[in-house]
């Protein structure tokens, strides 16, 4: 008898819960799933393969009685300045909510992305200040440093639901132009594969697939590194103090998001991570997005089908309604200080924010 997907998933969730429980009172930065859970384990989980491994697998420690359970906190239990931070994150997180068929409101995810955006903004505000003052900055600081922030907030391995399709169909492979090379027509990155076919129930099926080979991933990493360096150089040059200079910086930020959307590095959640990073970087230059995503829009689809960063930038600016930020995020409590442990982050993600104005 073949095990059901739910039965298989339960084995992997058991191990993940054990791992998370043992890290409840440790700093968020200590959650390193890519290092602590073997590649074979993660591959089997993503593909929902039987819980059997070629190499010896050591189970995670069981739930320890000396580790207290996570409690359900109320927003009024937090100090007033932390309440303000939570409400601000809730408001920003609502901007990441997708309004189209198949997506339901997820307040916990929205809160995670809102906190991540503020955290990113706080990190970059300090960095931009150092750049403008010609301070010696860490040269190894690249786009990965900020894109890891919302991933820490998500802290879950998402499962890819696979669906069998017939081999007869129509397939188109897209390409993404490079911004860092002179010959953009010839120097292109692999995009996605658009597939139109019928499933085994003879229903028409349209899908977008991304094959993240090592070579493809490294090509996008190089592109993102280059765009992020362009962002740093532009901020160092302009200081983002003049309104006339802000637009060029915004274009670079949205270009960064464009390549992240097309890379799709995560099995699930890439779109939320990409947009939360964009919101955070925009806030770090004293601006904020006030417009909500249009109904029926998926930003990853817009990026993948736009054909070039300029088209994606033009489309995004039409509804983002970017305005000056009233209060810099540097004046809010530091996110990593307010919620330093896995326990504290889980607790705030479960807070009821109905009282936020």
């Amino acid at each position: 008898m073949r095990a059901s997907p739910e039965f298989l998933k339960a084995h992997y969730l058991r191990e993940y819960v054990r791992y998370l429980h043992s890290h409840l009172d440790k700093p968020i930065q200590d959650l390193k799933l890519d290092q602590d859970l073997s590649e074979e384990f993660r591959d089997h989980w993503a593909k929902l393969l039987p819980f059997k491994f070629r190499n010896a697998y050591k189970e995670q420690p069981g739930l320890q009685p000396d580790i207290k359970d996570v409690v359900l906190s109320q927003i009024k239990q937090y100090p007033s300045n932390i309440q303000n931070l939570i409400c601000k994150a809730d408001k920003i997180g609502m901007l990441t909510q997708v309004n189209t068929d198949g997506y339901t409101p997820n307040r916990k995810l929205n809160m995670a992305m809102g906190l991540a955006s503020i955290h990113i903004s706080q990190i970059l505000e300090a960095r931009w200040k150092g750049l403008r003052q010609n301070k010696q900055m860490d040269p190894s600081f690249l786009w990965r440093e900020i894109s890891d922030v919302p991933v820490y907030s998500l802290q879950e391995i998402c499962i890819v639901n696979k669906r069998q399709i017939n081999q007869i169909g129509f397939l188109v492979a897209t390409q993404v132009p490079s911004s860092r090379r002179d010959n953009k027509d010839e120097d292109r990155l692999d995009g996605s594969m658009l597939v139109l076919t019928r499933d085994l129930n003879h229903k028409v099926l349209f899908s977008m697939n991304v094959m993240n080979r090592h070579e493809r991933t490294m090509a996008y990493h190089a592109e993102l590194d280059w765009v992020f360096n362009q962002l740093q150089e532009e901020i160092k040059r302009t200081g983002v103090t003049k309104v006339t200079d802000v637009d060029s910086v915004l274009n670079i930020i949205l270009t960064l998001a464009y390549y992240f959307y097309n890379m799709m590095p995560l099995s699930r959640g890439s779109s939320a991570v990409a947009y939360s990073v964009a919101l955070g970087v925009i806030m770090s230059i004293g601006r904020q997005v006030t417009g909500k995503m249009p109904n029926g829009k998926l930003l990853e689809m817009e990026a993948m089908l736009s054909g070039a960063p300029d088209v994606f930038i033009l489309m995004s600016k039409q509804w983002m309604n970017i305005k000056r930020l009233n209060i810099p995020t540097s004046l809010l409590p530091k996110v990593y200080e307010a919620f330093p442990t896995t326990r504290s982050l889980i607790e705030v993600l479960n807070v009821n924010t109905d009282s936020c104005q």
Side-chain angles (χ1 to χ4, degrees):
M1 180 180 295
R2 185 177 180 180
S4 67
E6 290 76 17
F7 179 81
L8 293 172
K9 189 183 298 184
H11 287 79
Y12 296 100
L13 288 176
R14 179 195 64 192
E15 291 300 289
Y16 174 63
V17 169
R18 287 176 171 179
Y19 171 81
L20 201 62
H21 186 264
S22 66
H23 286 73
L24 277 177
D25 297 305
K26 296 180 180 180
I28 290 293
Q29 291 78 2
D30 284 359
L31 279 181
K32 298 178 179 179
L33 300 177
D34 288 348
Q35 299 177 21
D36 298 338
L37 300 178
S38 70
E39 182 178 354
E40 186 180 18
F41 177 91
R42 290 181 282 113
D43 179 71
H44 277 48
W45 186 2
K47 296 176 181 177
L48 282 186
L49 297 176
F51 198 78
K52 297 178 181 179
F53 308 99
R54 294 189 305 272
N55 303 314
Y57 175 74
K58 182 180 179 181
E59 291 189 354
Q60 296 292 320
L63 303 185
Q64 304 299 311
D66 58 311
I67 300 178
K68 296 180 180 179
D69 290 337
V70 173
V71 298
L72 187 62
S73 300
Q74 303 296 323
I75 192 170
K76 62 182 180 181
Q77 295 176 286
Y78 291 93
S80 58
N81 62 332
I82 304 299
Q83 291 183 36
N84 185 37
L85 173 63
I86 294 172
C87 289
K88 181 68 174 178
D90 180 66
K91 184 177 180 179
I92 295 170
M94 290 300 293
L95 296 175
T96 68
Q97 179 62 52
V98 175
N99 302 301
T100 190
D101 292 343
Y103 289 81
T104 56
N106 188 331
R107 297 185 68 170
K108 188 179 296 185
L109 176 61
N110 293 342
M111 173 62 75
M113 294 301 96
L115 286 170
S117 295
I118 294 174
H119 191 181
I120 290 167
S121 178
Q122 291 173 337
I123 292 172
L124 291 180
E125 272 192 64
R127 185 168 182 83
W128 304 154
K129 183 179 179 180
L131 287 175
R132 292 194 295 268
Q133 296 175 351
N134 292 318
K135 291 184 178 179
Q136 187 67 32
M137 307 300 291
D138 181 6
S140 64
F141 186 95
L142 293 172
W143 66 273
R144 278 293 301 270
E145 307 297 325
I146 56 174
S147 63
D148 279 345
V149 172
V151 176
Y152 278 127
S153 297
L154 286 173
Q155 290 305 334
E156 60 180 310
I157 300 175
C158 299
I159 308 304
V160 178
N161 293 319
K162 303 185 73 175
R163 188 175 182 183
Q164 287 185 306
I165 61 175
N166 293 325
Q167 294 182 353
I168 300 174
F170 184 72
L171 182 148
V172 175
T174 66
Q175 293 184 323
V176 177
S178 172
S179 291
R180 66 190 180 96
R181 297 172 180 172
D182 294 333
N183 195 338
K184 295 179 175 60
D185 290 333
E186 294 185 6
D187 296 316
R188 293 178 174 269
L189 291 75
D190 290 340
S192 57
M193 290 187 296
L194 313 180
V195 181
L196 185 64
T197 184
R198 293 182 182 274
D199 64 14
L200 299 184
N201 295 318
H202 302 290
K203 293 182 179 180
V204 175
L205 176 65
F206 173 75
S207 62
M208 296 183 66
N209 301 314
V210 173
M211 302 295 290
N212 262 329
R213 306 180 313 280
H214 178 73
E215 295 81 2
R216 180 184 187 276
T217 300
M218 290 301 99
Y220 275 96
H221 278 210
E223 200 73 30
L224 287 161
D225 287 343
W226 187 86
V227 175
F228 188 75
N229 281 329
Q230 290 292 107
L231 175 63
Q232 295 189 109
E233 290 300 318
E234 186 71 8
I235 286 178
K236 186 177 181 180
R237 182 182 69 83
T238 65
V240 294
T241 56
K242 299 179 180 179
V243 176
T244 55
D245 292 325
V246 171
D247 205 51
S248 63
V249 177
L250 290 172
N251 289 346
I252 298 175
I253 294 171
L254 292 176
T255 300
L256 193 73
Y258 169 81
Y259 285 108
F260 195 96
Y261 277 123
N262 275 282
M263 179 171 65
M264 295 295 283
L266 308 175
S267 60
R268 195 173 181 183
S270 291
S271 182
V273 169
Y275 194 48
S276 66
V277 169
L279 292 177
V281 182
I282 289 171
M283 287 191 294
S284 76
I285 65 168
R287 298 297 187 272
Q288 62 181 335
V289 173
T290 61
K292 292 185 178 181
M293 293 185 203
N295 291 337
K297 289 283 187 182
L298 290 173
L299 290 186
E300 64 268 36
M301 293 277 285
E302 298 294 331
M304 290 178 175
L305 299 177
S306 62
D310 293 347
V311 179
F312 175 73
I313 291 169
L314 181 63
M315 179 278 301
S316 300
K317 283 184 174 179
Q318 289 177 353
W319 56 264
M320 280 186 162
N321 195 22
I322 298 174
K323 297 182 179 179
R324 186 177 294 276
L325 185 64
N326 295 328
I327 301 175
T329 55
S330 57
L331 298 182
L332 295 170
K334 297 293 185 290
V335 172
Y336 69 88
E337 292 177 353
F339 313 110
T341 64
T342 304
R343 179 190 300 277
S344 62
L345 182 58
I346 292 175
E347 288 175 349
V348 74
L349 294 183
N350 285 289
V351 165
N352 188 316
T353 56
D354 287 344
S355 61
C356 291
Q357 299 297 322

